[in-house]
Amino acid sequence: LILLNLSHNCLSSVLKDIGNLANLQDLLLAFNQLTSLPSLCLLNKLEKLDLSVNFLSDVTFLCSDQSEVLSS
């Protein structure tokens, strides 16, 4: 799985197992009701992360090297 689009689903949480999707390149979670996320540090191939229109207050779920690589 390289693309996971869960946008527009009124999600309030995401399972921590999402971090096990080793080949995931695009994770789209826009337009939900997320307030936090599990760690995404194991998603080494992640290139695109869309979290727009959620209720997140910090990005502690990202590793420092990911925040430099991800496209906005």
Side-chain angles (χ1 to χ4, degrees):
L1 183 66
I2 59 171
L3 168 65
L4 181 58
N5 186 350
L6 295 173
S7 297
H8 297 276
N9 281 292
C10 297
L11 298 175
S12 59
S13 64
V14 176
L15 293 175
K16 66 179 181 178
D17 293 336
I18 200 167
N20 296 332
L21 299 173
N23 292 317
L24 195 64
Q25 293 176 5
D26 295 348
L27 178 55
L28 311 177
L29 294 167
F31 295 92
N32 282 296
Q33 299 172 3
L34 300 172
T35 57
S36 64
L37 283 176
S39 176
L40 302 178
C41 289
L42 296 178
L43 300 179
N44 296 327
K45 296 183 180 180
L46 193 64
E47 296 175 5
K48 182 174 184 179
L49 177 62
D50 188 353
L51 298 170
S52 55
V53 191
N54 276 289
F55 302 105
L56 298 165
S57 58
D58 63 53
V59 291
T60 57
F61 49 85
L62 290 176
C63 295
S64 59
D65 57 334
Q66 282 178 316
S67 60
E68 297 170 9
V69 174
L70 291 172
S71 60
S72 53

